[in-house]
Amino acid sequence: MIIQAELRRKQSEYEGEACSVDKVIELPAQRFKQFSRALLADYDFIAENKNAIRHDEDARHCLLILDADGTDGFLVDPQGYNYARYSAFVPNARSLLTLDMGIDRSYLSPVEPWRNENRDEMLRVTLRVEGKPDYTLVLPADEEYLDAVKAYLDIDAFADAMLCDIHFKVPYIGELIRDTDCPAVEDYNDFAEALEDIWQKDGMLLTYAAVLEAEKPDTLHRACELLRNLDNYQRITEDAYGYGQQRLQETLGLDDEAIYELDGYMDFEKYGQDCMENDCVAKTEFGLLRRLDPPFPEQAQGQQMFQ
């Protein structure tokens, strides 16, 4: 249905120009606020209604976007695009409507947000808001998805929602993080992004698990710092013999051929055992672990060192 109404605005880029409103669309307050802050983003309510706009030489034809909980609005001429290519804020726009003008309120029931499923799921949390169905948030996520979730739940910030049922994709990683600070959604998302970075790297998850057991972080923020600093740790997969060869190569800069020639002339196993003690290598359920800088203390409370 085409609705026509002449709106003349005194302070806008269309000053003195007649604007014909072809359709009026009402948005939930949170989504209207999101729209007003990012007019040049693509929106479904523009994409789905841009063809309802007529074109003639007598007037500029527009959509009128209204705040469902307020009186203000925006005149939008998308020019065939899915964003507000041309727009003007209209204070108290609702007062300009006439009784014969229908309002499309189909967008008041927010569509469940769509997440970029090209990203691996690292963890998920359930968001609980009074008067709303529980929403399962999958992380990591980009800002557009997070903003859409807040609009869907009609909240200004994730702090307005209760977090419950937190599930890590790798359960033993979640069990090793004993957070006492009640992390925010943003903290979980930072952690999920960092975990995503090592997801496809061989052995890195086991290295991280060993680091968590040895370092015992008491906050998610600290666990995330350790995750982003895994280059400072070495999980030892060799026995003492192999570790001795590796440390000799590191110390003297020897290649594999030189190590091979030394075999039979040197007790690599004894040297490796001594290096493990000197390097303060820690025993964990996930293997031996060496911290490069600084090394683990020789005697750390609750931490078993290599003997």
Side-chain angles (χ1 to χ4, degrees):
M1 178 178 65
I2 295 178
I3 306 164
Q4 295 187 24
E6 294 299 315
L7 298 180
R8 293 185 180 275
R9 290 165 292 123
K10 295 182 179 179
Q11 295 178 344
S12 74
E13 62 177 308
Y14 304 134
E15 184 174 346
E17 181 180 355
C19 294
S20 180
V21 174
D22 290 344
K23 189 164 187 179
V24 182
I25 299 171
E26 213 168 53
L27 297 181
Q30 181 66 25
R31 198 170 190 206
F32 181 84
K33 183 187 297 184
Q34 177 189 355
F35 169 65
S36 68
R37 292 174 177 173
L39 294 170
L40 297 182
D42 286 348
Y43 293 99
D44 57 345
F45 56 85
I46 294 179
E48 294 167 4
N49 292 285
K50 62 186 179 183
N51 292 331
I53 299 175
R54 297 186 304 156
H55 303 279
D56 59 48
E57 297 180 356
D58 296 329
R60 180 184 291 271
H61 290 259
C62 303
L63 302 172
L64 177 59
I65 311 299
L66 293 177
D67 179 357
D69 294 344
T71 61
D72 299 335
F74 281 88
L75 282 172
V76 171
D77 178 7
Q79 294 278 301
Y81 293 89
N82 297 334
Y83 63 91
R85 189 174 189 192
Y86 296 102
S87 64
F89 176 68
V90 184
N92 203 24
R94 194 176 292 276
S95 67
L96 302 175
L97 302 181
T98 58
L99 294 176
D100 62 330
M101 297 176 68
I103 300 177
D104 183 350
R105 294 188 170 89
S106 63
Y107 296 95
L108 293 181
S109 298
V111 178
E112 186 166 335
W114 180 84
R115 174 185 176 272
N116 180 3
E117 295 181 354
N118 292 326
R119 306 184 73 173
D120 285 326
E121 173 188 330
M122 295 294 106
L123 61 90
R124 59 174 58 202
V125 300
T126 298
L127 300 176
R128 186 162 295 161
V129 176
E130 186 176 356
K132 303 283 185 179
D134 287 355
Y135 182 80
T136 300
L137 179 66
V138 179
L139 302 174
D142 55 31
E143 288 300 320
E144 182 179 357
Y145 171 70
L146 295 177
D147 287 343
V149 171
K150 285 185 281 190
Y152 180 71
L153 295 175
D154 196 19
I155 56 177
D156 292 323
F158 285 114
D160 298 329
M162 178 185 296
L163 276 62
C164 49
D165 298 330
I166 299 162
H167 295 283
F168 289 76
K169 184 165 186 171
V170 186
Y172 62 80
I173 295 293
E175 292 169 2
L176 290 165
I177 299 174
R178 307 170 182 86
D179 196 286
T180 59
D181 278 356
C182 300
V185 165
E186 291 79 5
D187 296 326
Y188 280 114
N189 196 43
D190 288 343
F191 177 82
E193 288 178 344
L195 193 60
E196 183 184 37
D197 288 341
I198 70 163
W199 183 248
Q200 300 297 333
K201 297 179 181 178
D202 290 342
M204 294 300 284
L205 279 174
L206 288 176
T207 298
Y208 183 51
V211 170
L212 288 175
E213 183 180 329
E215 297 285 12
K216 296 180 172 55
D218 58 1
T219 67
L220 184 68
H221 179 72
R222 175 59 180 152
C224 191
E225 286 182 341
L226 294 171
L227 179 53
R228 296 188 187 278
N229 195 32
L230 283 186
D231 288 343
N232 194 39
Y233 297 87
Q234 177 187 13
R235 191 172 66 92
I236 300 168
T237 57
E238 305 92 347
D239 54 15
Y241 182 90
Y243 189 69
Q245 290 182 323
Q246 174 191 314
R247 292 293 283 119
L248 197 63
Q249 284 182 297
E250 292 176 0
T251 304
L252 301 180
L254 301 178
D255 57 19
D256 290 342
E257 183 177 350
I259 291 294
Y260 177 77
E261 291 182 359
L262 284 174
D263 196 12
Y265 295 95
M266 181 172 180
D267 189 344
F268 287 122
E269 183 173 3
K270 179 63 169 63
Y271 181 71
Q273 290 173 341
D274 290 344
C275 285
M276 287 186 182
E277 292 179 8
N278 292 333
D279 293 339
C280 298
V281 171
K283 285 183 178 180
T284 77
E285 182 183 349
F286 304 94
L288 300 175
L289 185 71
R290 175 187 173 200
R291 188 170 70 188
L292 303 182
D293 184 28
F296 287 119
E298 289 188 16
Q299 293 183 351
Q301 185 176 4
Q303 185 179 73
Q304 183 180 12
M305 310 306 295
F306 176 81
Q307 298 292 332

